[in-house]
Amino acid sequence: MTPKKFLVVDDSTTMRRIVANSLKAIGYNDFVEAGDGREALTKLDSDTAINFIITDWNMPEVSGLELVRSIRSNDKYGKLPILMVTTRGLKEDILEALQAKVNNYVVKPFTPQILREKIDQILASI
Amino acid sequence: MESKNNMENVFSKLGDLKQFFVFGQKIVPVIQKIIDFMSDVVPLLENVNNSIQDSTSKIPKASTQINSVTSANEIATSEILDIIDAMFLDLSTIRTGLEELKNEENSEKIKVLNEVVSKIENDSSRITISLQVQDITAQQLASVNHLIDSVQNKLSSLLFELGKQQDRPIPTFDPASVSEQDSDYAFSDGTFNENARYDRSTEKQDLVDTLVLENTKTSQEEIDKLFAK
C-alpha cells in the first residue's frame, strides 16, 4: 500500500506543522489537517483520498482515542492505518491505544526518522 | 415540728445556693478568659477569611496568565517554524545555485559548500524537533491550570459557606475577563497529559516498540483479559 493522503490530527498548530514538515522531509507531501477528533471525522467523511491517519491523543471535543474507536467502528474507513503520536508514554496508555487498535505508536518528542520507521512498519504489515 | 423541718429545708437550699455562688466565683475568671480568647481569635478568623477571599479573587487572573504564556509560546514557536521554513527554501536555492556553478575547477569547493548546506538543514531539523517542547509544556501548564481550578472551586465553596453566615459577596470568575485568544487554551479534563515530559531519551519509545511487538504476537483476547483485571 502507498499512502496517497495523510490526515494529521492534533489540537496544537505547532505539532501539526512539525508532523507535516516531518512528512515532507521523508517524502510525503499530500496531507490535510484537523484540530480535533470531531473535525477529523468530518474530513474522513468528505475526503475519500485520505488513506493514512496520524493522530494525537489529548485533544478537546473528541480525543484521539475516541477518534480511533470511531474510525474502527466505521464500515467506510474502519480499516485505515492509524499511527498515534502522543506525549503519553505510560505502559497502560500504550496498551489502551493498542487495545483500541492503533497500528503503531510514537511518543513525543519524535524525529522524522522515527516517523518514517513507524509508517514503513505499518505499510509493511497491512 | 413541721416548722422546724421547713426551716432546715430552707437552710439546706441556702447552703446549695451559697455553694453555687462560690462555684460561680471560681468559674467567672475562666469564662472571662474564654471571652478574651474569643475576642482575640475573631479578628484572626476575620483576617483568614479576608485572605481566602483575596486569594480566590486572584486565582482567575493566575489562570489567565498561564493561558497567556501558552498562547505566547505557541505564537513564538510558530514564528520560529516560519523562519525555519524560509531557511529551507533559501538553502534549496543555494543548493540549486551551487549545482549551476559547479565545474571541474571548483567541484571540491562546491562539495564542501554542499556539505555545509546539509549541516544547516540537519541543524534546522533538530531545532524543529526541539520545538515539540511547546506542545509538552502546554500540556504541563494545562495540568497546573486544572489544579488551580480545583483549588478555586474548593475555596469558592468554603467562601460560600462563610458568606452565608456573614452575608458577604462571593468572588466569582468572570469568563468575559479572559481574552478570546487565551480562552483557546482553557483546557478541560482529558485535553492534556499531566505526565507530559520533554524527554529525548529513547526509553519510552523502546517500551512502545516492545509492547507493539508483543501485541502482534498476543491475541486481542489476551489484551482484553489484561484490562478486565
Side-chain angles (χ1 to χ4, degrees), chain B residues 51 90 101 148 150 156 210:
Chain B
S51 297
D90 291 342
L101 290 172
I148 289 176
S150 309
S156 293
T210 308

Side-chain angles (χ1 to χ4, degrees), chain A residues 22-41:
Chain A
S22 300
L23 284 174
K24 279 193 251 175
I26 57 176
Y28 298 115
N29 293 304
D30 200 2
F31 47 81
V32 282
E33 296 177 17
D36 61 62
R38 196 182 301 275
E39 196 187 339
L41 289 170

Side-chain angles (χ1 to χ4, degrees), chain B residues 62-64 66-67 140-150 185:
Chain B
S63 191
T64 307
I66 287 175
N67 289 337
Q140 288 169 336
L141 289 173
S143 172
V144 172
N145 239 352
H146 187 68
L147 278 177
I148 289 176
D149 275 354
S150 309
Y185 298 93

